[in-house]
Amino acid sequence: MRILAVELHRVAMPLVRPFETSFGRQTARDVLLVRVRTTDGDGWGECVAMADPVYSSEYVDGSEAVIRHYLAPALLAAQEVGAESVAGLLGFVVGHRMAKAAVETAVLDAQTRAEGISFGEYFGADRDAVDCGVSVGISSSIDELLAEVDGYVGEGYRRIKLKIKPGWDIEPVRAVRELIGELPLQVDANTAYTRADIEHLGRLDEFGLLLIEQPFVEEDILTHIVLSAAIETPVCLDESIVNAEVALDAIERGATSVVNIKAGRVGGYLEAVRVHDVCAELGVPVWCGGMLETGVGRAANVALAAMANFTLPGDTSGSSRYFAEDLTEPFELVDGRLAVPTGAGSGVDVRADALADWALRPPITLT
Ligand SMILES: CSCC[C@@H](NC(=O)CCC(=O)O)C(=O)O
Ligand SMILES: [Mg+2]
């Protein structure tokens, strides 16, 4: 198929409550959505880059610029494009994985809709619903944290993940462990610690956590190896795992024994499947991470999370975890699980009314 146009939509989505991590506090999502118009029909992709370059080096204005000036022109110039050829066509651009992922996903959506197959079928999903975990931000008090966690337990979430940072770790985790009993519990530091904190992090072992996620900076594989040998709690990497090769290296070197897979972070869902496959071959379980996606990205994540080696609950929460109203029909938990969309492509449609109501500016159309 040929790409006839690439549309860039920017949407403001207020969060139902502030979301605080070790790198900042956000109260809304400034979302870049890509729609491709092709000879075989339309497709949508969501860019997971945040408003500021504080999770990784990408940020939404940068993603929009690199799509506008490099990625879209490359696809528009190609005579024949398929999801499997996008990474090669865009390989001349270094990095910008979240921007590339949004474009590749839009092409994949158009292609699979035209073929009449769902993302789940395309990825090789082995179940029709996925177990859901929920990510809980840093709170202003332990009581506030416990009230929020209690609400999620009541909604049926099968795993709790707590954001931690120096000064907000042992006590919140202890309080939540006492509240939720044996319910699976894990923590995410978003790179906030250093090698000097290894002994302190060992104190988390008393809480029987599923894992500790990305305690050190993205590039520091070595300190994750040292921590893995020093504590009982399994070490999970997120920010560090930018593609299948890095996943293989980190696992073989003993830096990680569980992997958080985010399609946007690794450059798209096709690379995410490759990370899944590498980890499966090495017997390393994976789970689907989240970037506060709207229903567009959420639909693709749920389909990915239905692959065989996604054996741990992911950050695939219901739409209401972040948004009072979603860009698509809302994803709603049933018995702590989300159903894998069965429709062609992503299986969801962008609501034109919401897109118009929440648009930050008119769409940019590239041809
Ligand atoms: C704004 S924080 C985004 C990155 C963070 N994501 C989450 O905590 C899950 C967010 C979600 O539920 O989508 C992570 O490091 O794993
Ligand atoms: Mg993380």
Side-chain angles (χ1 to χ4, degrees), residues 121-336:
E121 288 166 324
Y122 184 87
F123 297 148
D126 77 347
R127 68 201 85 147
D128 57 13
V130 298
D131 290 357
C132 298
V134 63
S135 181
V136 185
I138 292 167
S139 290
S140 56
S141 73
I142 298 276
D143 286 348
E144 185 187 286
L145 175 70
L146 294 179
E148 184 177 350
V149 169
D150 198 42
Y152 297 141
V153 173
E155 288 183 53
Y157 282 102
R158 294 179 176 228
R159 179 269 280 148
I160 299 293
K161 158 171 154 177
L162 300 180
K163 291 294 185 181
I164 61 170
K165 67 178 182 183
W168 179 268
D169 49 25
I170 304 300
E171 288 323 307
V173 171
R174 184 190 311 284
V176 169
R177 175 50 86 203
E178 282 168 13
L179 174 74
I180 68 175
E182 293 308 302
L183 192 71
L185 175 63
Q186 65 193 56
V187 295
D188 185 359
N190 286 110
T191 76
Y193 293 88
T194 68
R195 185 176 287 222
D197 298 311
I198 285 183
E199 188 179 342
H200 173 75
L201 292 172
R203 292 177 55 199
L204 290 169
D205 282 348
E206 75 171 279
F207 304 115
L209 301 180
L210 273 178
L211 55 92
I212 174 172
E213 188 180 343
Q214 199 72 43
F216 311 118
V217 294
E218 171 187 341
E219 300 82 359
D220 187 0
I221 297 299
L222 182 57
T223 306
H224 286 100
I225 296 168
V226 175
L227 180 71
S228 294
I231 68 172
E232 296 303 313
T233 305
V235 175
C236 170
L237 291 179
D238 171 352
E239 288 88 335
S240 294
I241 308 298
V242 294
N243 60 32
E245 289 74 26
V246 172
L248 175 62
D249 179 59
I251 293 165
E252 296 283 9
R253 293 168 61 189
T256 188
S257 55
V258 189
V259 171
N260 165 333
I261 295 182
K262 294 177 181 174
R265 185 191 72 222
V266 300
Y269 286 88
L270 276 63
E271 184 66 15
V273 168
R274 285 189 281 271
V275 175
H276 164 276
D277 293 348
V278 163
C279 292
E281 282 158 30
L282 296 170
V284 169
V286 302
W287 54 282
C288 186
M291 294 293 286
L292 289 76
E293 288 91 346
T294 73
V296 175
R298 200 161 295 276
N301 285 351
V302 170
L304 181 72
M307 291 180 69
N309 192 38
F310 282 87
T311 54
L312 293 170
D315 288 341
T316 50
S317 314
S319 296
S320 64
R321 164 66 184 86
Y322 294 107
F323 309 116
E325 222 183 315
D326 207 336
L327 270 183
T328 65
E329 286 307 305
F331 279 84
E332 291 166 335
L333 248 61
V334 174
D335 188 22

Side-chain angles (χ1 to χ4, degrees), residues 353-364:
D353 60 327
L355 198 60
D357 289 350
W358 303 334
L360 282 167
R361 50 111 172 98
I364 295 168

